Amino acid sequence: MNNGGARRMNGGGEEDDDEDYVNGDLDAWERTYTDERSWESLQEDESGLLRPIDNKALYHSQYRRRLRSLSSTATAARIQKGLIRYLYLVIDLSRAASETDFRPSRIVVIAKHVEAFIREFFDQNPLSQVGLLTIKDGVAQCLTDLGGSPESHIKALMNKLECSGDSSLQNALDLVDGYLNQIPSYGHREVLILYAALSTCDPGDIMETIQKCKKSKIRCSVIGLAAEMFICKHLCQETGGTYSVALDESHFKELILEHAPPPPAIAEFATANLIKMGFPQRAAEGSISICSCHKEAKVGAGYTCPRCKARVCELPTECRICGLTLVSSPHLARSYHHLFPIAPFDEVPPFSLNDPNHKLQRNCFGCQQSLLNPGNKPGLLVVCPKCKGYFCLDCDIYIHESLHNCPGCDSFRHSKADKE
Amino acid sequence: MKFQIEDVTVYFPYDHIYPEQYSYMIELKRALDAKGHCLLEMPTGTGKTIALLSLITSYSLSKPQSPIKLIYCTRTVHEMEKTLAELKLLHNYQIKHLGPQARILAIGLSSRKNLCVNPTVLAAENRDSVDAGCRKLTASWVRAMAAENPNVPTCQFFENYEKAASAAVLPPGVYTLQDLRAFGKEKGWCPYFLARHMVQFANVVVYSYQYLLDPKVAGIISKEMQKESVVVFDEAHNIDNVCIEALSVSVRRQTLEGATRNLNRISQEIDSRKNLFHKLGPKPTYAVGLFHGRFKATDASRLRSEYNRLVEGLALRGNLPITDTWLSNPALPDDILKEAVPGNIRRAEHFLHVLRRLVQYLRGRLETDNVEKESPVGFVASISSHAGIDQKTLKFCYDRLHSLMLTLEITDTDEFLHIQTICDFATLIGTYARGFSIIIEPFDERMPHIPDPVLQLSCHDASLAIKPVFDRFQSVVITSGTLSPIDLYPRLLNFHPVVSRSFTMSLTRDCICPMVLTRGSDQLPVSTKFDMRSDPGVVRNYGKLLLEMVSVVPDGIVCFFVSYSYMDGIINTWNDSGILKEIMQHKLVFIETQDVVETTLALDNYRRACDCGRGAVFFSVARGKVAEGIDFDRHYGRLVIMFGVPFQYTLSKILLARLEYLRDTFQIKEGDFLTFDALRQAAQCVGRVIRSKADYGMMIFADKRYSRHDKRSKLPSWILSHLRDANLNLSTDMALHIAREFLRKMAQPYDKTGGSDRKTLLSQEDLEKMGDGSVHEMLY
């Protein structure tokens, strides 16, 4: 960069300028604009002064907002949720995805967070399945079929990250519609589109495709990477999905993870249904058998379908031979918490800590760490509305996002039972 | 909601009101109280129309002893319909709260083209032929003929309307053009004549500017409006140009040829009256069938009775049936009606001779190789010496022609537009000695090798046309989104407003992002200044700017250029250098042309491209049709780029003459006026993208001259207040970065009512809680 600057300083000549433009190269000083964006993380207050960045409080407040928005819909009305989801993740690999306004480039950021999302998704929805689609050169391609194995999806995606050409929303929707129409009626059909481009180059009338998606009850959500597009907003509104645009990388991560917990079921679709499932046993270690999914001979570590005795490698899945849905009981149990989420904890104003009544609660009920910041200043903390236990912020997040049980409530209930 | 402004109870049909609407109403109320004129600037998208309508109707309801009439002038039929729709909503609300005493009659009035329900007449393609088609069926002599001969076609709707006579009234209510047509169809009455009749009785009349400003039309339609009326000119930022156009005439070679043809036909008509027996000879030029009823002995006597009428003075014309009037005197209405027509043109043949000499003279004047500029006085003197027509005769030409055509029972008036133009011209130069000039140009300056002589009578003084309006009506309200600088309009229109105020928009978020771009990505200045505009560097930088922008802005982008020729040039260059092709990879490109049909088609496709997500760029011209009347709201315009400062073509002779006049008469400096005019056009262009508060959009002023204070400060305050110092002197890459950030920020969900500290929606309780003072504090 310095060399480029020096050359320019020495009067490298106007001809060079022109050549640069023809080649589409950026000048050195332009590169500084696009490469280093140190100013972006700075924040100004009203008078233009730089504001110190308090990441933790900021992060926590964002988290709480998200929690509130989720729980306000869930706990209040105890809304039915689609636990068996069939989600197609559409990744835009058009020219626009190679832009570098996200570091190092949009597509790398997308891939990174898609990986995290897929893991999170299966963690939260063990009964669900994901498929991957890409849009490239105006054509939509299926990368992986619907399946329950995070590893295979991630592996498939990481191999195909070249971006080129235009992007076509309609082609992607058509393809998804074709796949999702075949799935059984109890499953919830969803599409999550990660859209980098700002236009869509379609072969036909996209409005018809949107109506088709609406008719087949596919919930389409879009996360944009650059700006709000009318057609995406329209698509989400019509099909009941959400549309959001990422401000930066961390915001993008937040947005994509918002799609991990199951959305409320579409009303007319949410009829009670009995589903036949098999709970296969884990095969004995060391036994050699041919698995039905990879058609390979494998040693140990597999499951046997209770109906047709075929061998599968991973759960949950669908038996290749008899078509039975195969799950394990922990999977079902893990999905369960979405129906009965724990209430969000209330924030406690710091001064009430000095109240004599609360003197005892100086430690977090969860991790037993001191709730006071160094220097004996009270930090932020939260309280469970049921058991009145105090928790630190880290425990708050852990309880709501991973544990899904309040240690306070559970232990009090037990102690009560003991007394009786 | 219902609230009190001083002694007036205002009925407002919505639950919430913007603070700026509230203060707008307060100012308006003060102007009405003072019975004076006012000038109010408030950005578009803040609900000007409903604030106006709701205050004025409420004002009139609260003072039942002296009801005021509201005359609401709009620029386009579309706006008229929108206004009436709002009024309907308001009216329903008032009826709900006040009961039947709130009933008003509100109608929209437009040309026959928009109101006619007769399918045979409507089949004609343009306005003039619809008018003529209507006259062919409804003129008094045609109807008289039909009474004798049932084969003569008449209009059933008009006959029914005439039969109903005084029973033909509209029940109170709000009628849009659509409603009027439906009502007319249902009752079998002609909606156009019904509406024209009801204008006198209506409480609210919505019609186009021309009905008040163009003296030709105003004399007929707006003659009987009471003095206690409030006249509102909405979107009035170009009102001075409308006034000037109403009084300007241009004569070309075609006009003169057409006029000669018209004169020949008139003289044939006259001859046919004189010699009944020769009449039946071959006259193939017109439809004999239409006139077959008139070969009677009464013809000669009719010419004679016309002569008598002319002796008595033209004012008698008021007694003619309503269908026969079509265009009135282009001079000020009461100026000359009382005088008798001079003797030398009372006889039809003599008048024709005068007109022939006039046309001959004008033809001679057009045969010039040099640009000539003359004052009306000199021109009249020269006519008098060369053609022997004095000033008084000229003055009466228009009325005399009008009268003659009535006498000859000519119904296809659209054929006679050329001779009407000539007479219009004659009357104007005969009437006004000041404020006009006559400019003869042998060719268009941009194409000097093509001879296209044109003689223009151009009006320089906008106050001439609007003066009668100010004089006649109690209050005139001039309002628009862009009236900056607000002190210039009273000077241009020569009136004294009692209130002149500019309001800003209260926003829940910073949803407009104006930027001044002064340099391209290579840091060289960009400008459309005359010496710079063809510089390849500037053209390339502009192209680069657009290319970068199409890749970061979603959906629609609108670009405005300073002129058609500049747009053609720059698009050609972009095409040659391949920039256009690169742009097309991101968005489709649509271009405005001077052809209306083509442009409409382009706009339609542009909208479709925006809707379906393909994205599109619209290239348009400041001062063009698109810049004036088409909205690019929401995703139809996320970014507007104003390439250059849209100065008028400063070498134009007409503009120079007008500037000189403004300097001499109103002491307005040339530079000031030019800058004012350019900046209001620019503001008008960029204002196209924001049509409501929920909308958002960016505006790029791409010219280094915008960063100068004298230019920038003339932008309306609602743009200036969002133009941060940091955005004043940008280069392409900086602008690009700002655009990215802005679009991301705007895509986030937001709270529509605004936070507690930035209240942008007031409910009834809020208004009751605070006195007038606190609103002012909030806004300023």
Side-chain angles (χ1 to χ4, degrees), chain B residues 396-408:
Chain B
F396 279 91
C397 277
Y398 198 84
D399 285 282
R400 184 63 190 92
L401 177 76
H402 178 198
S403 157
L404 181 66
M405 283 172 68
L406 282 184
T407 314
L408 295 177

Side-chain angles (χ1 to χ4, degrees), chain B residues 714-780:
Chain B
K714 291 201 168 58
L715 286 171
S717 56
W718 60 274
I719 295 182
L720 276 185
S721 61
H722 287 88
L723 190 56
R724 293 188 296 137
D725 285 347
N727 292 358
L728 275 185
N729 187 8
L730 300 176
S731 61
T732 304
D733 37 298
M734 292 154 88
L736 197 67
H737 177 68
I738 293 173
R740 275 204 183 115
E741 293 290 297
F742 176 78
L743 287 169
R744 288 214 171 99
K745 215 165 73 197
M746 284 301 125
Q748 307 307 316
Y750 74 104
D751 180 12
K752 284 199 174 63
T753 53
S756 51
D757 52 332
R758 244 177 140 185
K759 201 94 175 155
T760 54
L761 275 177
L762 306 175
S763 65
Q764 192 162 337
E765 294 85 64
D766 291 330
L767 284 178
E768 280 158 11
K769 253 187 277 169
M770 60 190 179
D772 295 352
S774 55
V775 177
H776 284 266
E777 273 165 36
M778 250 168 62
L779 278 175
Y780 313 109

Side-chain angles (χ1 to χ4, degrees), chain A residues 18 21 29-30 33 39-40 99 101-102 198-201 207 225-228 230-231 245-247 251, chain B residues 521-523 540 544 551-555 586 611-614 635 638 696 733-734 737 740 743-744 747-748:
Chain A
D18 288 341
Y21 276 107
W29 50 268
E30 278 182 304
Y33 269 125
W39 63 85
E40 267 177 35
E99 278 194 34
D101 52 348
F102 286 57
L198 282 174
S199 64
T200 160
C201 214
M207 298 294 172
L225 284 130
E228 183 184 74
F230 171 77
I231 192 71
V245 174
L247 285 170
H251 190 224
Chain B
S521 43
D522 55 1
Q523 305 302 314
R540 193 191 58 209
K544 272 279 195 195
S551 65
V552 301
V553 178
D555 301 329
H586 295 278
D611 278 335
C612 76
R614 181 64 181 86
H635 60 285
R638 284 294 181 220
Y696 64 89
D733 37 298
M734 292 154 88
H737 177 68
R740 275 204 183 115
L743 287 169
R744 288 214 171 99
Q748 307 307 316

Side-chain angles (χ1 to χ4, degrees), chain B residues 187-258:
Chain B
K187 292 268 183 183
W189 295 339
C190 173
Y192 174 73
F193 287 103
L194 182 65
R196 266 185 51 183
H197 178 61
M198 294 312 290
V199 160
Q200 309 170 33
F201 310 107
N203 307 79
V204 182
V205 182
V206 183
Y207 56 37
S208 132
Y209 277 26
Q210 266 69 26
Y211 288 112
L212 268 187
L213 290 182
D214 192 341
K216 287 186 283 244
V217 194
I220 309 166
I221 308 286
S222 313
K223 201 164 43 183
E224 278 151 32
M225 300 292 188
Q226 66 210 46
K227 165 134 182 57
E228 292 76 32
S229 299
V230 182
V231 178
V232 176
F233 289 103
D234 196 5
E235 301 287 333
H237 45 271
N238 272 343
I239 194 167
D240 55 326
N241 291 341
V242 177
C243 293
I244 282 172
E245 270 159 35
L247 289 182
S248 295
V249 183
S250 65
V251 176
R252 288 171 185 278
R253 248 188 213 149
Q254 298 92 299
T255 324
L256 293 176
E257 279 157 18

